[in-house]
């Protein structure tokens, strides 16, 4: 019976006519449950229409309060295109450019429109500039190793050199303060013009952290120092973590790493090299994540001189757990897959 009443009302289905049809059959004595069975509209919609009709006695939609929207859908789409064309302008600059298209709106309105499209303001991520050669080399490396499992990567020892600076000179710090406390001692990040810098070399694998060595002050890593470091630090780590088991050594394409004397020395020691490693690819090396973790831990200790800095670095390095090291190594298949998916561009790591 209900279908006989409803079907003629649905010859032209619009939101307004659907509402009228639902209220018409409801006024003829049919319940919300009966109307839901006809599938004329979603259950929540049917009950909302009936509820509003009972409260207001009318099928008309209540006019929304507030100011009318300043922009049309077409103008909103234009704003989105302007923003995606160049991601850096401020909301104030976008408002000026939008005004040239005939929309007089504030920077706040611009931010609301962009937020509706999921575009929010965030600090730009810092990543190395990738040349066409870098992208090509990244794709070659990832395709070559795309079938490697986490177990395969567990046989690799990753290495790198990096600087540590006193007072966390290269880091941004966030503090919570009250009004008038901007320059309170506890809210200030101390800086110096020429901070002491310590260069370290370290390595790790899925079996945990390996050796870490600190270069003498004002000493740059060259092929002589690098060979000495590999002799004194890498070989003991290989013996300790892998024994007679075969492993693979990773290092990047720094000049001292690619020196013929280094390649020959590693060959003489029967150390297999992973590579060639693509340039400008810290996102593919999990030791970079370990480096960030170590740096945060060291900065929290707030060392005040080079000797204390070296002491804290060594202490925090050996405290890094094997579980953390293994978790980073196990991320390698995901890193490889993401770089391939993004056609050689940066991945999230």
């Amino acid at each position: 019976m209900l279908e006989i009443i409803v079907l003629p009302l649905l010859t032209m289905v619009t939101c307004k006519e659907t509402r009228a049809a639902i209220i018409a059959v409801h006024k003829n004595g049919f319940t919300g449950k009966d109307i839901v069975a006809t599938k004329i509209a979603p259950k929540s919609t049917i009950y909302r229409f009936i509820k509003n009709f009972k409260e207001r006695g009318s099928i008309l939609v209540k006019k929304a309060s507030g100011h009318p929207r300043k922009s049309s859908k077409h103008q909103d789409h234009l704003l989105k295109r302007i923003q995606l064309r160049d991601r850096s302008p401020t909301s104030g600059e976008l408002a000026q450019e939008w005004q040239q298209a005939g929309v007089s709106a504030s920077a706040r309105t611009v931010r609301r429109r962009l937020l509706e499209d999921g575009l929010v303001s965030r600090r730009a991520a810092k990543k190395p500039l990738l040349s066409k050669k870098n992208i090509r080399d990244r794709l070659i490396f990832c395709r070559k190793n795309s079938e490697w499992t986490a177990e395969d990567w567990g046989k690799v020892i990753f290495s790198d050199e990096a600087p540590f600076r006193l007072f966390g000179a290269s880091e941004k710090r966030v503090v919570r303060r009250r009004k008038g406390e901007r320059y309170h001692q506890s809210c200030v990040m101390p800086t110096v013009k020429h901070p002491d810098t310590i260069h370290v070399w370290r390595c790790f694998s899925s079996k945990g952290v390996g050796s870490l060595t600190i270069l003498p002050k004002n000493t740059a890593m060259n092929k002589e120092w690098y060979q000495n470091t590999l002799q004194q630090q890498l070989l003991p780590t290989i013996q300790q973590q892998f024994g007679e088991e075969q492993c693979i050594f990773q290092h990047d394409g720094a000049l001292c790493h690619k020196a013929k004397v280094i390649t020959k020395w590693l060959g003489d020691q029967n150390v297999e090299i992973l590579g060639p490693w693509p340039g400008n690819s810290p996102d593919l090396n999990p030791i970079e994540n370990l480096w960030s973790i170590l740096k945060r831990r060291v900065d929290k200790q707030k060392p005040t001189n080079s000797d204390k800095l070296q002491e804290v670095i060594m202490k925090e390095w050996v405290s890094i757990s094997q579980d953390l090291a293994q978790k980073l190594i196990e991320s390698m298949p995901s890193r490889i897959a993401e770089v391939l998916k993004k056609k050689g561009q940066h991945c999230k790591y």
Side-chain angles (χ1 to χ4, degrees):
M1 177 64 181
L2 181 57
E3 287 77 359
I4 297 174
I5 297 174
V6 171
L7 287 175
L9 295 172
L10 295 180
T11 54
M12 294 181 61
V13 179
T14 66
C15 182
K16 186 176 180 180
E17 291 171 347
T18 299
R19 187 186 306 111
I22 291 171
I23 299 305
V25 293
H26 177 66
K27 289 167 72 174
N28 282 331
F30 292 95
T31 66
K33 185 177 180 180
D34 296 330
I35 303 172
V36 169
T38 67
K39 299 182 180 180
I40 186 177
K43 178 180 178 180
S44 58
T45 302
I46 292 170
Y47 280 104
R48 185 176 74 252
F49 287 165
I50 294 174
K51 179 175 179 291
N52 290 341
F53 174 73
K54 288 180 177 179
E55 291 177 351
R56 297 198 295 267
S58 171
I59 66 170
L60 297 178
V61 178
K62 186 178 180 181
K63 187 176 180 181
S65 60
H67 294 288
R69 192 177 179 91
K70 286 191 173 183
S71 58
S72 65
K73 289 184 178 180
H74 174 72
Q75 291 169 328
D76 292 344
H77 183 65
L78 175 61
L79 175 64
K80 179 181 176 181
R81 283 168 52 197
I82 294 172
Q83 173 68 102
L84 293 179
R85 187 178 62 213
D86 182 0
R87 303 291 186 110
S88 59
T90 65
S91 53
E93 293 169 340
L94 287 171
Q96 292 177 7
E97 189 168 354
W98 207 20
Q99 189 172 18
Q100 296 175 6
V103 183
S104 179
S106 66
R108 184 180 179 185
T109 299
V110 168
R111 288 193 293 271
R112 286 203 305 270
R113 295 295 184 271
L114 295 175
L115 186 60
E116 290 172 3
D117 278 311
L119 290 166
V120 294
S121 177
R122 292 289 184 268
R123 184 181 297 140
K126 293 184 178 181
K127 290 284 189 178
L129 178 65
L130 293 176
S131 66
K132 290 183 179 180
K133 183 181 184 304
N134 293 148
I135 294 173
R136 183 175 65 250
D137 291 346
R138 284 162 64 87
L139 288 172
I140 291 173
F141 177 83
C142 291
R143 286 166 183 158
K144 178 182 176 182
N145 301 291
S146 62
E147 300 298 324
W148 280 31
T149 63
E151 184 178 353
D152 295 322
W153 288 108
K155 299 174 183 177
V156 178
I157 294 182
F158 289 88
S159 69
D160 195 21
E161 303 97 39
F164 277 84
R165 295 182 179 88
L166 278 174
F167 306 118
S170 61
E171 291 292 318
K172 295 183 182 294
R173 186 176 299 169
V174 176
V175 296
R176 283 185 169 83
R177 66 189 185 214
R178 304 181 188 90
K179 185 177 181 180
E181 290 185 333
R182 181 177 185 183
Y183 299 108
H184 190 278
Q185 184 178 357
S186 62
C187 300
V188 171
M189 179 175 167
T191 64
V192 294
K193 286 186 177 180
H194 306 290
D196 283 345
T197 302
I198 293 175
H199 291 271
V200 302
W201 178 94
R202 71 267 195 241
C203 63
F204 91 113
S205 73
S206 63
K207 299 181 184 298
V209 297
S211 295
L212 180 146
T213 186
I214 298 174
L215 275 67
K217 193 174 181 180
N218 300 321
T219 300
M221 182 70 81
N222 53 34
K223 59 186 179 182
E224 290 77 23
W225 267 107
Y226 191 52
Q227 182 173 334
N228 180 67
T229 298
L230 297 179
Q231 177 77 49
Q232 301 296 325
Q233 309 296 331
L234 175 63
L235 294 184
T237 297
I238 292 176
Q239 183 60 39
Q240 178 185 5
Q241 293 192 352
F242 292 91
E244 299 302 317
E245 183 183 353
Q246 183 65 35
C247 67
I248 303 172
F249 176 58
Q250 178 277 337
H251 60 181
D252 60 29
L255 291 177
C256 62
H257 298 175
K258 297 191 296 182
K260 291 181 180 179
V261 64
I262 297 298
T263 302
K264 182 179 183 304
W265 184 87
L266 288 169
D268 293 342
Q269 305 302 317
N270 295 319
V271 176
E272 183 181 351
I273 303 174
L274 175 68
W277 188 261
N280 283 348
S281 299
D283 53 343
L284 284 173
N285 193 344
I287 204 169
E288 295 292 343
N289 303 95
L290 206 59
W291 148 258
S292 297
I293 293 169
L294 176 64
K295 198 169 191 312
R296 286 196 298 271
R297 292 184 180 184
V298 170
D299 285 346
K300 283 183 179 180
Q301 300 295 322
K302 299 180 180 179
T304 55
N305 57 59
S306 294
D307 291 338
K308 184 66 175 177
L309 177 59
Q310 293 184 40
E311 179 185 332
V312 172
I313 290 172
M314 298 298 293
K315 177 183 176 183
E316 293 297 336
W317 177 253
V318 298
S319 71
I320 293 174
S321 68
Q322 181 186 351
D323 287 344
L324 175 57
Q326 186 169 353
K327 182 179 179 181
L328 289 173
I329 295 295
E330 289 175 348
S331 70
M332 282 303 298
S334 297
R335 295 171 193 252
I336 297 291
E338 187 172 345
V339 170
L340 289 174
K341 181 179 179 181
K342 294 186 175 180
K343 299 180 181 179
Q345 294 294 335
H346 297 295
C347 66
K348 65 181 180 182
Y349 294 93

